[in-house]
RNA sequence: GCGCCCGUAGCUCAGUUGGAUAGAGCAACGGUUUCCUAAACCGUGGGCCGGGGGUUCGAGUCCCUCCGGGCGCACCA
């Protein structure tokens, strides 16, 4: 259910019918209807909806836009429409439509019926996959991964509400060059801790967590790995470390409210020969050439700045080759839409990844890469320097520990992915209106409190059928209703534009309208009929706040 | 040097496929509590939407150019 969309469609039909009728009567002359817009004007005085068709038609119809608008309006007015209060021509030729409130009063009844399902648009029968975080299983989850987790999961939730069948996926980079280096680090640490005096690899993983992992391995295996061949030893070290790391990543993300349907192992692509397969295929198609013993993919054919190596001179495929095979696999699984959430530092890969899909015969427009800018951590006014070298990096676990899951989830999505995110740890912990999470959660708790008060006073909301929502006439009540009615459309736009920050903003505005209502009017009052209508309003406000927060992965406390 | 992102109120940021008089929160200033949570609300001030050019009936939004900031430009991922 999407009431705003339904109204929109209704008005669109109405206008098209009117225009066509005008043409038939010879009042308007045009060949084809232009792509006009029916939008919600910024200015309240411009009506509930406004249409720009007259301006777009002016040239072809050889008429002044206002004149055209008047012709259309006259035609529409010749029939009566029960939902339209008035319709007028304004400004350069806008058609402004003012509705009566009858549609608004249907909303709370519908929501009370739908409850948790309010916000869901009709099923589209389309499958979309969202791949996000996909952190290397060689270290802790950092702030970039955290933002990716919040954005990816929220986007997946939005797409679900928008009507898609969504699958969340984590790509485990458990093969390739970084894993070799990781294994070198593990082996060196193992030997060092067993008394061998060895230099640590220059580009190795020097973090303390690797040492801790190796210590656990020693506790488990003792010195028996010393007697093995390096190959055997490395396999055991790596398998143990990977299992531990992946388990840790999964646990941290679950703790963050992120749950994946699929954990996809890069290693399987190597094992099953899918990488060689796709490289050979591209070679046969002539998209690959050899230079200095390496194989290069002609990504410049697809608008990339330069070609990219897919097979090194030593015969080992690059990360890019594995990624092509991986994305080919995604499309083979039949998704209608494939979305990756990447850090902005990977933006250089977008063109060649899409190019590779095109070379394989897939529609590159079905692959969207959502790039997100980096995160800067602040504590009060001071930036928290994040350096892996000095070990001052803050991990996702530590962040959740410090500010809580709710604040972390909300803060990571409240800005556009395109914007750098300044994450203020102090603000995230504050319990006042400066902190948007608390502001919204407080609104929910306040509504719960009203119902507790009501119950204590022996008051219960009547059955829906006995409530008359049209008693809600106050400005604050209508504004709140209007905002509540927007929710499904807000979801729909957020899905279309891949913009999770819209929901964070939406629920903040919704909470603001509630607080404003609360401070102007009493729910529990002498007038039984009005009290019932307001209890219903509170009921559906609570549902909408809760459903919005659910999309963001933020809890809705009943008291605070 | 080339490419991508960003530049909007003192600060942090919104701003559907171009729409009418550019918004919110915080900060500043002033007010609200015999009343369901003052963890809240109401009001006031604050802007050449980085500069310049162009397209359009109409540009914060699209194009060009310049300036400033971030990121990338490996047989790393």
């Amino acid at each position: 259910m999407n009431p705003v969309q339904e109204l929109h469609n209704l008005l669109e039909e109405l206008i098209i019918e009117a225009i066509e009728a005008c043409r038939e009567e010879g009042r308007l002359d045009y060949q084809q209807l232009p792509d006009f817009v029916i939008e919600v004007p910024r200015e309240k005085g411009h009506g509930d909806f406004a249409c720009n068709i007259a301006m777009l038609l002016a040239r072809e119809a050889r008429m002044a836009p206002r004149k055209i608008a008047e012709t259309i309006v006259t035609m529409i007015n010749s029939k009566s429409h029960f939902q339209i209060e008035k319709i007028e021509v304004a400004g350069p030729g806008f058609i402004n439509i003012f509705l009566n409130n009858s549609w608004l009063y249907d909303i709370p009844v519908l929501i009370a019926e739908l409850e948790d399902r309010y916000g869901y648009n009709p099923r589209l029968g389309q499958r979309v996959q969202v791949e996000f975080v996909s952190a290397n299983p060689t270290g802790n989850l950092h702030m970039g991964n955290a933002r990716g987790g919040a954005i990816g999961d929220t986007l997946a939730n939005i797409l679900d509400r928008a009507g898609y069948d969504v699958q969340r996926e984590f790509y485990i980079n458990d093969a390739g060059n970084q894993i070799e280096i990781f294994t070198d680090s593990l082996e060196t640490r193992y030997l060092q801790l067993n008394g061998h005096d060895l230099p640590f690899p220059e580009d190795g993983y020097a973090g303390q967590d690797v040492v801790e992992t190796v210590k656990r391995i020693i506790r488990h295996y003792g010195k028996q790995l010393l007697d093995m061949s390096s190959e055997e030893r490395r396999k055991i070290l790596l398998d143990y470390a990977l299992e531990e790391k992946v388990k840790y990543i999964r646990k941290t993300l679950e703790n963050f409210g992120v749950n994946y349907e699929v954990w996809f192992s890069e290693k399987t692509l190597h094992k099953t020969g899918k990488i060689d397969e796709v490289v050979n295929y591209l070679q046969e198609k002539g998209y690959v050439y050899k230079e200095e013993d390496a194989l290069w993919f002609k990504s410049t054919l697809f608008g990339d700045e330069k070609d990219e190596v897919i097979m090194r001179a030593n015969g080992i495929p690059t990360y890019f080759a594995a990624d092509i095979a991986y994305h080919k696999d995604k499309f083979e699984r039949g998704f209608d839409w494939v979305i990756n959430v990447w850090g902005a530092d990977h933006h250089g890969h977008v063109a060649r990844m899409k190019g590779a899909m095109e070379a394989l015969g897939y529609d590159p427009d079905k692959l969207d890469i959502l790039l997100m800018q980096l995160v800067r951590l602040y504590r009060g006014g001071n930036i928290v320097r994040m350096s892996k070298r000095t070990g001052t990096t803050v991990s996702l676990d530590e962040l959740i520990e410090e500010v809580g899951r709710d604040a972390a989830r909300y803060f990571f999505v409240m800005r556009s992915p395109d914007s750098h995110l300044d994450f203020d740890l102090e603000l995230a912990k504050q319990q006042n209106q400066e902190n948007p999470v608390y502001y919204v959660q407080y609104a929910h708790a306040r509504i719960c409190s009203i119902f507790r008060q009501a119950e204590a006073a022996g008051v219960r909301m009547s059955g829906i059928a006995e409530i008359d929502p049209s008693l809600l006439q106050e400005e604050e009540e209508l504004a709140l209703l209007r905002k509540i009615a927007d929710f499904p459309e807000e979801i729909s736009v957020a899905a279309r534009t891949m913009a999770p920050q819209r929901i964070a903003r939406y629920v903040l505005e919704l909470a603001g309208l509630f607080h404003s209502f609360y401070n102007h009017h009493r729910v529990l009052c002498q007038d039984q009929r009005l009290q019932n209508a307001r209890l219903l309003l509170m009921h559906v406000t609570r549902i909408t706040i809760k459903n919005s927060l659910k999309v963001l992965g933020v809890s809705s406390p009943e008291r605070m």
Side-chain angles (χ1 to χ4, degrees):
Chain A
M1 180 200 84
N2 185 334
V4 174
Q5 182 68 46
E6 281 164 27
L7 274 176
H8 186 278
N9 293 344
L10 197 78
L11 294 174
E12 190 173 71
E13 257 173 62
L14 195 75
I15 288 169
I16 290 174
E17 267 174 36
I19 292 171
E20 282 173 352
C22 288
R23 179 162 68 173
E24 275 168 38
E25 291 183 16
R27 294 156 171 272
L28 266 177
D29 182 33
Y30 64 92
Q31 293 297 312
Q32 211 182 350
L33 219 50
D35 262 343
F36 65 97
V37 170
I38 297 173
E39 59 173 5
V40 178
R42 269 200 294 243
E43 282 293 317
K44 232 181 161 184
H46 294 150
D48 296 296
F49 290 91
C51 181
N52 67 346
I53 181 107
M55 278 98 78
L56 300 175
L57 224 45
R59 181 170 295 179
E60 197 184 342
R62 289 188 302 276
M63 265 171 86
R66 283 194 67 106
K67 186 86 183 152
I68 297 173
E70 274 157 25
T71 308
I72 296 168
V73 167
T74 306
M75 182 59 73
I76 293 174
N77 278 336
S78 67
K79 297 171 199 161
S80 70
H81 304 277
F82 74 99
Q83 283 178 317
I84 294 178
E85 179 91 15
K86 69 172 169 177
I87 176 161
E88 64 185 23
V89 178
F94 286 102
I95 298 171
N96 290 345
I97 302 161
F98 296 78
L99 301 174
N100 59 43
N101 289 329
S102 62
W103 73 280
L104 262 189
Y105 295 133
D106 294 337
I107 304 293
V109 179
L110 285 164
I111 298 174
E113 177 79 17
L114 289 167
E115 298 238 339
D116 292 353
R117 286 170 291 138
Y118 181 56
Y120 279 86
N121 282 261
R123 295 282 101 189
L124 299 165
Q126 296 228 327
R127 295 177 63 216
V128 55
Q129 187 215 48
V130 187
E131 182 221 321
F132 56 103
V133 183
S134 299
N136 277 331
T138 53
N140 287 333
L141 293 171
H142 52 70
M143 288 307 108
N145 300 136
R147 190 178 191 191
I151 288 177
D153 190 51
T154 302
L155 180 61
N157 288 339
I158 290 168
L159 292 166
D160 169 49
R161 285 13 172 219
Y164 291 92
D165 297 324
V166 183
Q167 190 217 68
R168 295 164 177 78
E169 184 154 318
F170 188 109
Y171 180 56
I172 309 167
N173 297 113
D174 53 3
N177 209 39
Q178 289 305 311
I179 288 297
E180 287 306 311
I181 293 167
F182 182 55
T183 314
D184 291 344
S185 308
L186 289 167
E187 186 175 31
T188 306
R189 287 298 186 214
Y190 181 80
L191 295 172
Q192 283 175 342
L193 287 168
N194 280 296
H196 289 69
D197 185 19
L198 286 173
F200 193 73
E202 202 175 314
D203 52 356
Y205 289 87
Q208 189 58 30
D209 56 319
V210 174
V211 176
E212 295 305 322
T213 297
V214 172
K215 279 182 180 168
R216 281 189 288 274
I217 293 175
I218 291 172
R219 231 169 282 148
H220 192 265
Y221 286 99
K223 289 179 184 286
Q224 53 176 303
L225 305 190
L226 290 171
D227 303 328
M228 298 175 178
S229 68
S230 176
E231 195 185 335
E232 258 181 298
R233 175 163 61 225
R234 288 168 67 91
K235 187 178 182 314
I236 289 174
L237 287 166
L238 179 62
D239 284 351
Y240 187 99
L242 276 182
E243 195 193 328
E244 192 181 272
K245 283 291 182 192
V246 171
K247 203 178 280 178
Y248 151 78
I249 288 172
R250 187 193 294 245
K251 202 168 150 252
T252 301
L253 286 169
E254 277 171 10
N255 199 21
F256 198 42
V258 178
N259 297 285
Y260 292 91
E261 278 80 33
V262 175
W263 291 73
F264 192 100
S265 157
E266 178 184 351
K267 198 157 55 183
T268 61
L269 292 170
H270 291 80
K271 275 189 183 164
T272 55
K274 288 201 171 179
I275 295 174
D276 291 336
E277 199 178 290
V278 80
V279 169
N280 289 338
Y281 179 84
L282 290 171
Q283 203 160 13
E284 281 165 27
K285 290 280 174 185
Y287 290 117
V288 168
Y289 62 92
K290 195 166 201 169
E291 194 174 293
E292 291 177 11
D293 291 332
L295 290 182
W296 296 72
F297 174 65
K298 294 182 189 172
S299 39
T300 46
L301 286 178
F302 304 97
D304 200 4
E305 293 167 62
K306 61 182 204 54
D307 293 335
E308 186 70 14
V309 171
I310 53 173
M311 196 71 87
R312 300 190 186 90
N314 61 13
I316 297 172
T318 61
Y319 162 83
F320 181 47
D323 229 15
I324 295 173
Y326 176 43
H327 283 79
K328 177 169 183 279
D329 185 85
K330 292 187 185 187
F331 278 108
E332 280 171 351
R333 282 185 265 159
F335 291 108
D336 299 291
W337 191 9
V338 172
I339 300 174
N340 296 343
V341 179
W342 284 357
D345 53 339
H346 287 67
H347 75 253
H349 304 262
V350 174
R352 54 179 161 272
M353 196 64 238
K354 287 190 162 221
M357 289 306 104
E358 199 176 337
L360 291 173
Y362 296 107
D363 179 1
D365 290 337
K366 287 186 170 182
L367 172 65
D368 267 309
I369 316 285
L370 183 58
L371 294 172
M372 50 166 194
Q373 300 295 322
L374 51 87
V375 177
R376 279 183 301 226
L377 265 193
Y378 284 81
R379 199 179 288 280
N382 305 314
I383 192 161
V384 180
R385 285 283 158 209
M386 288 176 288
S387 160
K388 283 195 172 170
R389 193 152 295 173
T390 58
T392 54
T393 159
V394 177
S395 71
L396 177 53
D397 308 86
E398 290 162 346
L399 181 79
I400 297 172
E401 176 88 16
E402 180 166 354
V403 308
R405 180 217 276 193
D406 288 342
R409 289 278 310 229
Y410 189 93
F411 272 58
F412 278 124
V413 297
M414 70 181 175
R415 304 292 176 228
S416 158
D418 277 340
S419 282
H420 287 228
L421 176 67
D422 291 327
F423 193 123
D424 188 337
L425 293 164
E426 293 306 322
L427 177 59
K429 282 188 287 186
Q430 278 176 42
Q431 310 209 347
N432 56 41
Q433 64 167 347
E434 280 182 57
N435 182 346
V437 191
Y438 273 86
Y439 184 78
V440 175
Q441 289 184 317
Y442 178 54
H444 185 270
R446 229 180 187 184
I447 297 172
C448 292
S449 173
I450 294 171
F451 280 97
R452 281 193 298 270
Q453 287 287 330
E455 201 172 346
V459 172
R460 291 198 61 176
M461 190 170 82
S462 307
I464 304 293
E466 292 145 50
I467 298 176
D468 179 8
S470 71
L471 295 172
L472 303 169
Q473 298 276 353
E474 301 285 351
E475 191 186 328
E476 290 82 5
E477 293 169 330
L478 293 171
L480 190 51
L481 269 179
R482 185 61 230 267
K483 196 74 186 174
I484 289 168
D486 271 339
F487 183 48
E489 178 62 7
E490 200 59 43
I491 289 283
S492 170
V493 174
R496 191 165 62 241
T497 56
M498 298 192 291
Q501 75 279 8
R502 291 190 69 110
I503 305 303
R505 174 160 287 265
Y506 170 80
V507 73
L508 187 63
E509 288 168 355
L510 177 59
L513 290 172
F514 159 73
H515 284 306
S516 184
F517 160 80
Y518 180 93
N519 277 281
H520 284 91
H521 310 287
R522 286 191 58 84
V523 174
L524 305 178
C525 55
Q526 295 305 310
D527 182 341
Q528 293 289 312
R529 294 178 66 230
L530 182 61
Q531 175 173 277
N532 261 318
R534 285 185 174 163
L535 279 171
L536 177 61
L537 177 62
M538 290 302 98
H539 180 58
V540 299
T541 303
R542 178 167 64 176
I543 288 172
T544 309
I545 291 176
K546 189 175 180 182
N547 292 2
S548 303
L549 287 176
K550 186 89 194 291
V551 169
L552 300 174
V554 175
S555 69
S556 302
E558 297 190 358
R559 39 178 109 229
M560 290 170 74

